Amino acid sequence: SQQGEEDPQALSIQEGENATMNCSYKTSINNLQWYRQNSGRGLVHLILIRSNEREKHSGRLRVTLDTSKKSSSLLITASRAADTASYFCATDANQFYFGTGTSLTVIP
Amino acid sequence: ETGVTQTPRHLVMGMTNKKSLKCEQHLGHNAMYWYKQSAKKPLELMFVYSLEERVENNSVPSRFSPECPNSSHLFLHLHTLQPEDSALYLCASSQDLGQGTYEQYFGPGTRLTVT
């Protein structure tokens, strides 16, 4: 499939720790986006990184992109209980593809 | 979340019923999307509309029929659904299609249960 695939599928950490999620994809892309979804709700856009960028920051979020390895990572620093959600990467290759997501639980 | 609204939020229907899902975006966007989200599966893109014209139809069964009367409204008409169609149906919009350059804004979804 061409979808992004997130790894791990589930992650549980203590509040204050950092959380790292990875995304791998199979085809060349123009850009990659990360989204967050709270249980049973719509997705919320977090950050977009273009194929010619290697790293991008937004608040406590840091995204990296390695096009040679066809992979991206999302780092959430100093996690909070409110960060508990599912996180998806989305890649575009003539069509928008989402992965199955990483379910993050931050324990207070 | 008020940029894209969806109604109803929850829907239970029998296999012989006909119902419609409604999506409205208040963001002035040109593109709108329907997605299906089932447990343990990737988000599935169903339909894409750009300036009220359908530009993508991902082999979706004909029991799902989209309608886009204007750039602010998107409907998904449902008839003779199957239990496996039970899922969260998400509507999204973006400024334009632009090969994914534009972020998508999602509605809260309609939780559909087919009995």
Side-chain angles (χ1 to χ4, degrees):
Chain A
S1 83
Q2 294 179 328
Q3 293 100 330
E5 294 182 5
E6 292 88 349
D7 169 62
Q9 289 189 340
L11 179 61
S12 184
I13 60 174
Q14 295 289 328
E15 202 166 32
E17 293 180 338
N18 295 341
T20 300
M21 288 157 270
N22 303 296
C23 169
S24 60
Y25 56 92
K26 295 185 178 179
T27 64
S28 297
I29 59 172
N30 295 312
N31 59 67
L32 184 145
Q33 303 185 32
W34 283 91
Y35 286 79
R36 163 200 168 120
Q37 183 181 33
N38 287 81
S39 179
R41 307 297 295 273
L43 280 72
V44 175
H45 181 265
L46 294 176
I47 198 164
L48 179 154
I49 185 165
R50 300 185 190 280
S51 59
N52 62 353
E53 297 176 310
R54 291 297 166 260
E55 188 171 312
K56 203 162 183 180
H57 297 255
S58 177
R60 293 184 296 113
L61 306 181
R62 174 179 163 243
V63 169
T64 63
L65 179 64
D66 187 335
T67 52
S68 66
K69 295 181 179 178
K70 291 188 170 60
S71 68
S72 173
S73 68
L74 170 67
L75 168 67
I76 303 175
T77 59
S79 64
R80 305 167 182 167
D83 294 328
T84 295
S86 291
Y87 292 83
F88 297 84
C89 67
T91 58
D92 72 305
N94 297 319
Q95 188 180 111
F96 221 55
Y97 291 99
F98 284 86
T100 52
T102 291
S103 177
L104 172 66
T105 301
V106 180
I107 303 166
Chain B
E1 287 191 7
T2 56
V4 181
T5 57
Q6 289 187 245
T7 54
R9 294 293 306 276
H10 300 272
L11 178 62
V12 179
M13 60 187 288
M15 289 191 283
T16 58
N17 290 160
K18 287 185 180 181
K19 296 285 185 184
S20 295
L21 309 185
K22 179 183 176 182
C23 175
E24 185 173 358
Q25 58 98 358
H26 312 272
L27 301 168
H29 288 167
N30 291 324
M32 296 188 77
Y33 312 77
W34 278 118
Y35 288 89
K36 175 184 178 182
Q37 186 176 34
S38 305
K40 309 293 184 188
K41 287 186 177 181
L43 210 60
E44 298 173 51
L45 179 63
M46 300 175 72
F47 302 104
V48 181
Y49 276 82
S50 175
L51 296 171
E52 302 137 52
E53 279 194 34
R54 191 190 308 180
V55 296
E56 197 76 46
N57 177 352
N58 281 345
S59 303
V60 179
S62 59
R63 56 186 184 268
F64 295 92
S65 174
E67 179 191 0
C68 187
N70 54 63
S71 59
S72 297
H73 293 86
L74 186 64
F75 294 89
L76 188 62
H77 304 299
L78 317 170
H79 64 98
T80 60
L81 294 192
Q82 304 298 311
E84 60 264 29
D85 296 322
S86 297
L88 182 68
Y89 288 84
L90 292 163
C91 172
S93 71
S94 66
Q95 184 178 338
D96 211 327
L97 288 182
Q99 292 187 316
T101 303
Y102 300 104
E103 63 188 83
Q104 295 191 8
Y105 290 77
F106 283 79
T110 294
R111 173 66 63 186
L112 174 67
T113 303
V114 181
T115 60

